[in-house]
Amino acid sequence: MARSPTGPKGRKGGNTSGRGQRDLHVKVKTARGRKLSSTLWLQRQLNDPYVKRAQAEGMRGRAAYKISEIDDKYRFLVPGARVVDLGCAPGGWCQVAVQRVNALGERAGKKVGRVLGIDLQEVEPIAGAEIHVQDFLDEGADTELMGWLDGKADVVMSDMAASSSGHKQTDHLRIIALCEAAAYFAFDVLEEDGTFVAKVLAGGAEGELQHVLKQRFKKVSNFKPSASRQDSSEKFVVAQGFKG
């Protein structure tokens, strides 16, 4: 994406009416005690168009636009669907799901869905979503979740990522392991014909996960939304038509 030149001249030809205004590229100085990597991350955040859009639209982060793009393509967040979001903090995916499954009942004549978020940490309340502090890896977590839902889920989705170690291959293996755990949890709680969506990092170890998913689902696809940073190796696996 092209960036406007950095500097104080944010308008063309001295136009003060607002027409022809350019986005300014914000530069962040390295502060005492702040690592260069942190400074670069902050600078990238301040200049990220999806971050700016999220702030303007009241969404909890750019990740909301990732799930929006994924659902625009694969259409699983339908009115009436029961959705489970694993590792839901800060809540952007839940926000999108609430709107699309009609969890608040705002779309007259449409079925009303359910959105249930799970995370290890407290998450600020989201209208239309039910949030629980829970580790989905705990024994009995699947049974407890189905109790909250009064049945099985139509969609299990996960944007979880393991903490970065700074070593690319190690991080790849960690996130694949986390994704596999989420997949096996989904096998326990998904309704027949349900959908599983999860983030993975491209790197070679995801082949076994793909193999397992293809045994359990009718269709398995991989997708990288434009809201994902182009320099990121993340992609999303979308498995549809759970065989039960």
Side-chain angles (χ1 to χ4, degrees):
M1 181 178 292
R3 295 286 188 188
S4 299
T6 302
K9 295 181 180 180
R11 304 180 188 273
K12 294 181 180 179
N15 185 342
T16 58
S17 66
R19 297 178 61 188
Q21 184 173 355
R22 301 177 181 178
D23 289 333
L24 296 180
H25 184 85
V26 180
K27 283 191 173 181
V28 179
K29 293 182 179 180
T30 302
R32 180 177 296 177
R34 182 195 293 153
K35 295 180 180 179
L36 176 60
S37 59
S38 298
T39 299
L40 293 176
W41 179 87
L42 180 57
Q43 182 168 298
R44 183 174 66 178
Q45 286 293 101
L46 291 173
N47 291 286
D48 189 315
Y50 285 101
V51 172
K52 293 178 181 179
R53 181 179 170 188
Q55 292 170 342
E57 296 179 357
M59 305 304 290
R60 297 187 184 181
R62 73 197 314 278
Y65 303 107
K66 299 176 187 178
I67 193 62
S68 295
E69 285 186 62
I70 297 168
D71 184 54
D72 286 346
K73 184 174 178 66
Y74 297 101
R75 302 290 182 183
F76 48 87
L77 295 177
V78 297
R82 291 166 295 177
V83 180
V84 174
D85 184 5
L86 300 178
C88 65
W93 279 32
C94 282
Q95 286 181 298
V96 173
V98 164
Q99 296 170 3
R100 299 200 174 198
V101 307
N102 194 32
L104 288 170
E106 296 175 331
R107 297 161 66 183
K110 298 289 186 179
K111 293 181 180 179
V112 177
R114 296 274 305 277
V115 177
L116 195 152
I118 293 176
D119 204 280
L120 293 174
Q121 64 187 51
E122 293 279 353
V123 178
E124 284 293 318
I126 298 169
E130 183 180 335
I131 310 294
H132 293 268
V133 177
Q134 171 68 282
D135 186 343
F136 77 94
L137 296 175
D138 285 348
E139 185 176 351
D142 53 347
T143 302
E144 190 168 20
L145 179 140
M146 288 186 286
W148 294 330
L149 272 182
D150 296 322
K152 292 195 171 185
D154 299 299
V155 179
V156 173
M157 56 189 193
S158 165
D159 190 32
M160 293 185 294
S163 299
S164 175
S165 69
H167 184 267
K168 187 174 182 180
Q169 186 60 21
T170 298
D171 291 341
H172 171 66
L173 293 173
R174 283 179 175 177
I175 196 170
I176 292 299
L178 193 57
C179 187
E180 286 180 347
Y184 280 98
F185 182 83
F187 298 160
D188 290 334
V189 303
L190 267 181
E191 193 70 79
E192 188 173 341
D193 243 11
T195 297
F196 173 66
V197 182
K199 176 165 65 182
V200 296
L201 296 182
E206 69 271 22
E208 180 60 28
L209 171 64
Q210 298 276 343
H211 176 70
V212 171
L213 291 177
K214 287 177 180 178
Q215 291 179 323
R216 300 293 192 108
F217 293 85
K218 297 173 185 175
K219 181 181 179 181
V220 178
S221 307
N222 293 284
F223 181 63
K224 185 179 178 72
S226 59
S228 290
R229 293 190 174 94
Q230 293 308 301
D231 60 353
S232 169
S233 61
E234 77 172 12
K235 62 180 180 179
F236 293 85
V237 60
V238 182
Q240 295 178 285
F242 182 55
K243 297 176 183 179

